[in-house]
Each structure stands twice: as C-alpha cells, then as structure tokens.
Amino acid sequence: MSESIYIAWVAIGGAVLALIYAAFLASKVSACDTGTDRMREVASAIREGAMAFISREYKVLAIFVVVAAIIFAVVNKGPVRLVSLAFVVGAFCSGLAGFLGMRVATKANVRTANAARTSLNKALDVAFKGGAVMGMSVVGLGVLGLSSLFLILTYMYGAHTEALKNTVLPILAGFSFGASSIALFARVGGGIYTKAADVGADLVGKVEQGIPEDDPRNPATIADNVGDNVGDVCGMGADLFESYVGSLVSSMVLGISAGFTAVMLPIALAAVGIIASIIGTFFVKTKEGGNPQKALNMGTFLAAIIFVVAAYFIINFLAPDGLTFGGMYVCAAKLWGAVVVGLGAGVAVGLLTEHYCAMKKGPVEEIVSASKTGAATSIIAGLSVGMRSTALPLFAIVIAIIVSYSLAGLYGIAIAAFGMLSTTGIQLAVDAYGPIADNAGGITEMSDLGEEVRERTDALDSVGNTTAAIGKGFAIGSAALTALSLFAAFREQAGLTRIDITRPDVMAGLLVGGMLPFLFSSMAMKAVGKAANSMIEEVRRQFRSIPGLMEGTAKADYAKCVDISTGAAIREMILPGLLAILTPIIVGFGSKWIWGDAAALGGLLAGVTVSGVMMAIFMSNAGGAWDNAKKQIEGEVKDPENNTGKGSARHAAAVIGDTVGDPFKDTAGPSLNILIKLMSVLSLVISPLLM
Amino acid sequence: MSESIYIAWVAIGGAVLALIYAAFLASKVSACDTGTDRMREVASAIREGAMAFISREYKVLAIFVVVAAIIFAVVNKGPVRLVSLAFVVGAFCSGLAGFLGMRVATKANVRTANAARTSLNKALDVAFKGGAVMGMSVVGLGVLGLSSLFLILTYMYGAHTEALKNTVLPILAGFSFGASSIALFARVGGGIYTKAADVGADLVGKVEQGIPEDDPRNPATIADNVGDNVGDVCGMGADLFESYVGSLVSSMVLGISAGFTAVMLPIALAAVGIIASIIGTFFVKTKEGGNPQKALNMGTFLAAIIFVVAAYFIINFLAPDGLTFGGMYVCAAKLWGAVVVGLGAGVAVGLLTEHYCAMKKGPVEEIVSASKTGAATSIIAGLSVGMRSTALPLFAIVIAIIVSYSLAGLYGIAIAAFGMLSTTGIQLAVDAYGPIADNAGGITEMSDLGEEVRERTDALDSVGNTTAAIGKGFAIGSAALTALSLFAAFREQAGLTRIDITRPDVMAGLLVGGMLPFLFSSMAMKAVGKAANSMIEEVRRQFRSIPGLMEGTAKADYAKCVDISTGAAIREMILPGLLAILTPIIVGFGSKWIWGDAAALGGLLAGVTVSGVMMAIFMSNAGGAWDNAKKQIEGEVKDPENNTGKGSARHAAAVIGDTVGDPFKDTAGPSLNILIKLMSVLSLVISPLLM
C-alpha cells in the first residue's frame, strides 16, 4: 500500500517548481524599471512601512509560537509531542509566505505604475506577476512543508493505519494549527492596522491639516498604503494558506479509514492544482485597450479546467477501483465528482459575492437610491443588502455539502473543500493583483504621471475591486467547507460517534459557539476605534514637533507611525485572539470533565461555523456594497443641486455608509473566516487529549 | 391518575378570575375623567387609528386562519383533524387578548394624562391599571382556552398516555400555533407599521411642512402614536401570549412520559402564577414625589416571590414523591428548582438588557462618546455594543438550560421556560404601562397642560423606557427557552431519538436555519423602507388636497393614513410570513422524502434558534442603546459650539444612529422572537405527519 508514498515526492517536486517559478517571477518584477525619483520616494516609504510592520509583528508572533510549542510539548505524551515541532514549521511557512508575498507586492506597485506609462499590457503583466509570487509562495510552501513533514513522519513511525491515525496525522494537524495562528494575527492585526491608519490619515491629514489624500507629508498616508498590502496581500494570503493546508490535513485524516491511497490523494491533487495554476498564469495577457478582467478570467478559468480534467485522470490512475470507507464503496468517478462540486460551489459563491457588491447591479443601486434620504436610510439599506446576501451563497455551500457527501461521505466534503482551493495558486495571484494595482494608482497620482497613465491604472484598479470581491467569496466559501471537514476530522479523532443536539450540553455548546462571532466582531470593531485613536495622536504629535514637515522640507517619521499602528493593532488583537484559542480548550476539557466526552465542543464548533459563516458573508458583502455605492455616486456627474456626484448630500451619506463598512469588510468579516477554521483545527489538535 | 383532571378546573377558575379582574380594571379606567376637549380630541384620534388598524388587520388574518384551518383539516387524519379547530381557537384568543389590551390602552393614555394634572400616584395608577388589563387578558385567555380545550379533548378521547400523546396534545399544539400565527402578524406588521408612520410623520411633517412633532394637523402623527400601541402593547402582548402558551404546551408534551401529573403540573403552576400576579398588582403604588420605578419593581418582585413560594407547596402537593421520566427519577425539590432557575434567568436577561440600553451606563456612554466624531463612528459603536451584548444574556440562558436539564431533564428545560413566564400577568402589565405613559406624555404636550403635569408624565415615561428594555429582555429569554422546549417536544412527537449534527442533512438544516434570521431581518428592514414611502406619499397628498388642513380648520384623514400604513405593513408582511411558515414544511417533508426522517428539520430549528436569539439580542440592544444615547445627548446642556446637547453635530450623529436602530429594535429584532417560536411550534404541529 505504502508504495504510493512516491506521491509525496511528486508533490514536493510540484511545490519546489512553484517556489522556483515564484523566484523567477520575483526576479522579473525586480528587473523592471522603478520610474522617476518621485515615484521611488513614495514607493520606498510604503516599502519601509510594510517591513516595519512585518518585523514588529513577527517579533510578537515568535514569542507566541515558542510558548505555544512548549505547551504542546509538555501536555502531549509520546511521539505526538512532535506536534509542537509541526506547529512551529506551519507557523514558519505561513509567515514566510506572507513575507515573500508582501516583499514582492511592495516592489511591484511602483513598477506597475511605471509600466503603465508605456502600456496597459505591460502594467497588467507586472501587477499580476507580483500577485503570482504570493500565490505560488502560498501553495509551494504549504505543500512543501506538509509533504516533507509527512515523509519524515512516515519514515519514523511507518505508514500503516495505526501510525497514521495515532501519530502522523495528529502531528500534521499541528502544522495546520501553526498556519491558523499566524493567519489569525495577520488577518485581525492587519485588519485593525489598515483601518486605524485609514481613519488616522483622513481625520488628521485631510480634516485638520487640510492636505490632500495620499500626500506624502502625512505620516499616516504611507501607513494607509501599507495597510492595503498588510490586509489584502498578507492577510488574504495567510487566510488562504490556512484554508489550503486545513482542507488538505482534514481530507487526509478522513481518508485514513479507506487506506493509504485515500490519504495521499489530496496531496496528489494539490500537485495537479499547482501545475494547473502555473499554466494558467501564462494566459493572463491583454493588448492595449483590451479588458484586463478578461485576461484574469482567462487564466483562472483555464487553470480550473486543466485541474478538473487532470484530476479525473489522476484519480482514475491512483484509485482505479475506487475507495472503500468503512463499508461504503466510492468509485473513482464519484471522488472526482466531489472535487468538481467543491470547485463549482467556490465559483458560485465568488460570482454571487460579486453580484451583491458590484456597481450598477440591483443591491448597490438599492443603497445608492436609499442614500438620497440620508445616512440613516443608506445604512439601513446596506445592512439589509448584507443580511440578504447570506442566502444564496449559503445555498451553494449547502448543495456542495449534500452532493459531495452523497458522492463520497465525509471524505467527499473534505475533498470538495480542497477542490474549491485546488487552484489557490492562481486564485491568490489574482487577489493579490488588486492591492498592487491599487497602490500603483496611488503612486501614479502622487507622482503626477499624467491623465493617460492614470486611466490605465484605473482600468487595472477597477478590475481589482471585482477580483477582490470574488476572492473574498472564495475565502468565505472555502472557510465554511474547510471548517466543516476539520470538524468531521475532529469528531473522528476525538472518537465521538455522534454529536446529538438534543443533548443539553451540545445545545449549550451550539449556543455559545453561535455567540462567539458576534462577540469577536464586536471586539474587532472596538479595537479599530481604539487603534485609530492612538494613530490620530501620533500623527498630531509629528505635525506639532517635526519642523518643516508641512513645508515639505523634512521627512515624516513613517516607521514610527507604522510602528504605533502595528503596536496598537497587536495589542488590541490579544483579547479576541485569546477568545478564539481558549474557548475550545475550556469547552473541550470542561465538557470532558463534566459530561465525560467532548460532544459539547462539537456543538461549539457547529455553532461558531453556522453563525460565523453568516456574519462573515453579511459583513463582507455589506461593506463591499457600501464601498461601491459610494464609488458609483462619485462616478456620477457632479451636481450637488440635484443631489448627484461628489460633494452632494447623497455622497456624504454614502461616505458614512462606506466608513461603517470599512471595519465590516476589512477587519471583522474576514477575521471570522480564520476564527471558524482556527477553532476547528485547534480542536483537532487537542482531540488526542480528549479521547 | 386522571383524578388530577380537577387541576384544569382550578386553572379555569384562575383564568376566569384574571378576566374578571381585567374587566374590573377596565371599568375603573373607563370611569376616570378624560380631561379637556383638546385632550379628548387628540385621544380620540389615536383611538380611531388603533381601531382602524385592528379592524383591517383582523380581516386579513381571518382569511389566513380559515385557509390554514382547512388545510389542517384536510391533511390530517382521524381525531387529529381537530387541530384545525384548536388552531382557530388559539388564533381567536390571541387576537382577542390583543384587541382588549389595545382598547383599554388607548383609553388609559388620556386618562393618565388627566390624572397627572392632580397627582403622580393617580397617574401611575391609571397607566398601570391600563397595562394590567393587557397582562390579565393574555394569561386569562391563554389558560382559559388551553384548559377548556384540554378538558373537552380528554373527555372525548380519554386521559391515558396513548390518548394524550397521539390525540390530545397534538391537537393542543394547534392552539399554540394559532397564537404564533397571530403573533407573527402582530409583531412584524405592527413593527413595519409603526416605523413607517414614524418616518412618514417626521419627513413630511417636520421637514417638508415645518410643523412641530406630534402636531395633530399632521395625518401621520396619529399613526405614529397608534404605532406605539400597535407595536408595544399589541405586539408585545401577542409575543408573550405565544411564549406563554408555547411553554405550557411543550412542557405538557414533555411531561407525558412521566404520567398525567407531569402533564397537569404546568397548568397548576399557571394558575398559581395568575394569582401571584393579581396580588402583585395591588402593591404598585407610589406617593407624590416617589419613584414609580420602585412601585413597579415592588409589584413585580412580590409576585415573583409569591409564585416561587407557592410553587414549592403546589409541586410538593401534586407530586410529593416526585416524578419519573422514562427511568429518571426527579424529586419534587428538583422540579421546583428548575422553575426557579428559569425565573432567575429571566430576571438576569432582563437586567442585562437594561444595562446595555440604559443612559449613563458604559455601553450607552461609549456610543455618546463615539458620536463626537460623527455618524459613522456612532453607528460602529452601536453595532459593536449590540454584538457584544449577546454574550452575557446568552450565558444566562445556557446556564438555565444546563441546570434545569440536570435537575429534571428536558421537562426541566420546559418548566424553566414556563417559570420565566409564570408571572406574565404582571410582567406584561408593566410592559404595556410603558407606551400608555408615553402616549400620556404626548397628549399632555399637545394639550398644553403645563410644566408640572409634564414633569409627572416624564417621570412615568422614563420608567417606561427601563421597563420596556427589561420586558424585551424577558421576551427574548423566554423565546429562546420556549423554542428549545418546543424543539424537544417536536423531537419526542416526531419520534427522532437523536439529531446528529455530523449527519450532512442535519448540518445542512443547521446552516439554512442559521441563515433564515438574516434573510428575515433583511426583509423586515426593507419592508419598513417601502412602507415608509407609501406613507410619505399619502401624507403629501393630504396636505395638497385637503383645504384648511395646514390652517387647522379641517381635520386630517387619520383613518385613511392609518389604513394606508396598515395595508402596506400587511402587504410587506406576506413574504417574510411565508418564509417562516413554508420553510419548516418544505424542509420537514423534503428531508422525510430524501433521507427517511425529519432530522434535517431538527437541524433547521436548532440553527434558527441559535442565530435568531443572537440576532434578536443584537438588534434589540443596539437599537435600545442608540435610542438612549440620543436621549442622553438631548439631556445635556444645549451648546452646539462645544458639541453638546440638541442641535449639535454630535446630536445629529446620534439621531442617525437612532433612526438605524428603529427598525432594529421595533421591527426586525422582536419579530425574530416570533420566528423561532413559530417555526418550532409549526414543526410540532406537523410532527404526526412526519412520523
């Protein structure tokens, strides 16, 4: 059976290929020209800020990782102690992927702006290559780390069912939890950071000092631009790294009952997905005056089609006679069907998300129209749109669950989750392209590169908004399915034959779990407020105490500002972070102690998944819709008399909606994705102790 | 065993006593003086409006009730067909209680205003007596209807376990569903109505025509005052009628396994609660300059204490040797403990609700402070407070679940729910007192009764705000526990031994259920927007086409305006109403057809309860906190320069928060209480068909 261990070597090959390709793309980006002195000045300020953030964040995280690793080593017994090592490796890989991605993104922004001075296609090329480094780093490091650990562990402990179930896979879960921990900090910290900087820059710079937006004299402006990278590049990367690794690990765990091939199949599919993503990137091209959206769609859909076709052959090659899960026989075609269903659900959720957030479509028009009668009606309309937008994506997820389960049981749900994430390499490239194009637009504006260049970066940027919406949809959909498959894996590993909600302890767990996303969101939103205040004070201090700053003769202390914002973000992170990590531990061991098993923890995970998914969709989509409602009004003819365009009362109402939407879509909403996965994977990690 | 059927006669005696007492109180209120001509004019306009609403609403509901009754008669077989009759009786009793309560409330408002011209105690007395009519009507009609039906049915089919389980109690569930249907319309329709009138009156009257608030020339002002009665008197009454009846029926169903005494015990406790409530009302008195809050607390707490003590003796009298539920022995003291725990949890949730919504306390101060920097930060702070406020009430509910279950199993949860509602008679009297005092204040203002009188009604009114907050907390807490006990009763009746969330159909049900409160809230909020638009058009039309209206020489067509608003409210009600009623039916029969049992419906109920309770707490408390933040700013020294008091930018920001909060706290939030109970009770009603 275990001769199929060679698959892990193949996967490592694919992962190394992805990393080499990432290095190649990074060198291509680096080789591009950085334009004028002015452009370089702006870009280096953003770059300095991003690196200041990373260095400060990683210092704090290092302490957390070491402490958690020691605890894991102490509380576990026997070989499972190695979970602490896997945890450190997972955290390191996730952190490294974020570091590499952000490093290149902050190089690509200025080079994209410069390329836009000559051609749209060149600019698209640079921005997309920059994003692709992130995408390839995530899948490359994810698969490399996981497969290497798997090879080492099976070499040490063997590849028979007992070893896999009791030693190898519980340790691998630690890798996944390491990724989750970093993701929690990256998403929540990054989310608080970027919104604090945004508010700080606006309130002190624009309102108090009367200098324009994105003015380099404003110390917080750079932090604001850094925030886009921190939140949208690094945060999204860590989020998908977590989903990617989590869905791999959970499908491996759920595969045990069918034997070694079922355990290796997800890794084989990951290798296929990497190759498909790499091929897809070659097709992202457009000509002058062309539509960059089509180019991105072309690459993404092509990668998906290649993956779907290749997956069919791979599954038939590895499991020509199907698999048998504890008595249930599943043929190869059904396994393939589950993967395809997951991918289809991901596309559906992405497209629905885009529908609810896109300009000129029903939901955004509703907010635009409600803004006529003021901020209150604008807010009510946005909340109503956001709440309504939970329904259809949820149905897509539910259909995926039912169909994939009917095809291949719980393993089906897990490989459906992985199917959704199979082309993460190119999907994330497209996501990360957004903030690069956005930053490029900002640099263009600040460096006076002229109308034509600005038009090109605008074309790139508007595509970025759509891709961001779709990417968020994918992140939510995959978080839901990944959490469910981790939940199933937890149940298997904790030895719970069922989790009966008519038991009061399970119902209590369900209720507490359902409450956590509300409490967590509340904390995140309050944290944005507090961090913004610290930022405002620092910016005021710099304007007061640095002579020549307003005149442009002295340079603002960007790093200090970024450092303040980072510090505040990480400080404010501690409480929600502890909530996420301690709750499953307390509920798990508490219920084991009181009721004799960990069923209440199962209820908790179900509750947090149900209300977390709804709140994440609600908050992300409401925020996205408000944002585009504001942009749509800004695109109208400027005529305040008739209440249209910039400067009108309607615009002011929409701006208020957009400001409310900021912590919704960039802090609380996306953080919930992490919350639900982190709690599930942590439960999986502690499940051997709950047996 | 069935000699304890006499308890039903005792309960009927208690119920009749409550109704006689209600009639006595109503005649006392009627006998009071109605004051000046001006006062009578204003009051009769409100009264006309309220009756126009009731008459229109009941016409529509009659059609619905008849159609639903025919369907029940057709789809059921054998004696259970009588469920359609019980349904009609339940709907009638709920409707009648609402009618009686609102009739007296709209008499009591002007008489309270008149009494306030001489003494605070007299005014308190009239307002409280008016509210007590509602309270006594609800418990009286609830117990009378249920006990009479029970007596008739046991006379027809016998009182042995089989007859109870298969015929009598399934039919009684129809009574409960009748109450739920009326409650759904009363709460959602009333909620849409009152907010549509509010916005219509403000936008056309205050903004366009420049006439003051509560000016009788404004046709929608009366609708606005009617709305307070419709939403807070009638809506709250129907809500608690539903909880009261639902918790009684579910504890009777869950009692079957322990024999007849366990079935009768809840009815006996209801009779005790009625007597305790009546005694409590005698102690609601204050002297001039005294604190009306203390008087109301005195009555409420006294009733609770009397109930707790009497319940101990009644339980020991009826079940001196305890009860045995399918092998589990429960002593009398434990039964009593479960009741007390429920009541305690109700008090805790009520006080916590008050904490999050009260002026000068932390959460409201947070919003007041955030309003300094504008509407966006005010909204973010309110949303954050509302989300955070789910945590502690949820813990109170969870503790009640765990403790009452550990004392007396599922029956324990059901009698804990009833314990929370045992003193509904006085609790609802205190709730309904609020809008009466509020209306009295409005009438005082419109009739120029002078400073001293206004101070007295203000004192009564400010207490009303607190009692409203506590009442909403009770309504949410009891809805949660009632829904859970109905859920348990459904499981028993549907023959489901367990509902395992690791089954994908149950998980799918859980996810869909978790989504429904979001979709339902979205619909309710959108409906407010649409209904408000219809209202605005009608008010504009009247100002245009009625000569002499602005000069005060012609009377506005209040009834037309109220009719428009009622029509719009009921029209907008249909979609959310269908959603609530059709979903359990589709999921129940669909899952029976696909998976062979109704476990997915169990998942749906659990999901809707979990996310419904959170959303209800979140929306009610956010709305309440915004409302009081605005009031707190209005109470400050008026100094727009320093951003304090009315007319300041901070006040404008808080007004926007309050407007967003209106549909939160008065439409969507409270409607969710009904949604979760209605779906559970409907599942219980259809459970014989799902066996």
Side-chain angles (χ1 to χ4, degrees), chain A residues 49-309:
Chain A
M51 290 308 140
F53 170 77
I54 284 273
S55 94
R56 175 73 182 272
E57 190 190 42
Y58 284 6
K59 270 179 207 156
V60 175
L61 292 188
I63 298 168
F64 166 77
V65 168
V66 169
V67 171
I70 291 171
I71 293 173
F72 280 129
V74 170
V75 297
N76 282 292
K77 288 188 186 69
V80 184
R81 278 212 175 108
L82 282 179
V83 76
S84 68
L85 182 74
F87 168 75
V88 173
V89 176
F92 178 79
C93 287
S94 173
L96 184 61
F99 177 78
L100 294 175
M102 222 168 81
R103 207 178 133 91
V104 173
T106 53
K107 278 188 178 178
N109 52 10
V110 62
R111 289 165 174 84
T112 301
N114 188 55
R117 294 165 76 191
T118 47
S119 122
L120 179 67
N121 186 34
K122 272 190 195 162
L124 171 69
D125 191 54
V126 178
F128 180 73
K129 282 203 171 99
V133 172
M134 183 65 167
M136 293 302 153
S137 303
V138 162
V139 295
L141 288 168
V143 171
L144 180 65
L146 208 58
S147 303
S148 317
L149 271 176
F150 185 76
L151 273 177
I152 296 168
L153 292 169
T154 47
Y155 178 77
M156 286 167 69
Y157 302 107
H160 51 281
T161 305
E162 282 305 296
L164 288 175
K165 188 174 165 60
N166 298 331
T167 311
V168 176
L169 289 173
I171 294 173
L172 273 195
F175 182 85
S176 186
F177 181 59
S180 288
S181 308
I182 299 300
L184 188 72
F185 282 88
R187 262 292 197 206
V188 183
I192 295 171
Y193 175 99
T194 177
K195 291 303 124 184
D198 197 2
V199 174
D202 283 3
L203 267 181
V204 185
K206 289 207 300 200
V207 180
E208 292 181 11
Q209 302 289 338
I211 56 177
E213 179 146 12
D214 282 333
D215 191 303
R217 286 173 294 175
N218 187 337
T221 289
I222 294 303
D224 190 7
N225 278 295
V226 173
D228 292 341
N229 291 295
V230 164
D232 293 342
V233 179
C234 198
M236 175 70 89
D239 190 343
L240 287 183
F241 187 93
E242 187 201 17
S243 278
Y244 191 77
V245 169
S247 67
L248 273 177
V249 169
S250 57
S251 34
M252 290 167 83
V253 170
L254 293 168
I256 294 176
S257 67
F260 199 72
T261 307
V263 176
M264 295 311 293
L265 183 59
I267 292 188
L269 292 173
V272 173
I274 289 176
I275 309 294
S277 294
I278 293 175
I279 297 173
T281 60
F282 297 143
F283 292 84
V284 179
K285 285 193 188 332
T286 187
K287 56 177 186 289
E288 198 58 33
N291 185 349
Q293 179 75 67
K294 273 193 188 153
L296 293 172
N297 289 350
M298 179 67 166
T300 316
F301 282 104
L302 198 73
I305 290 166
I306 293 172
F307 171 76
V308 165
V309 173

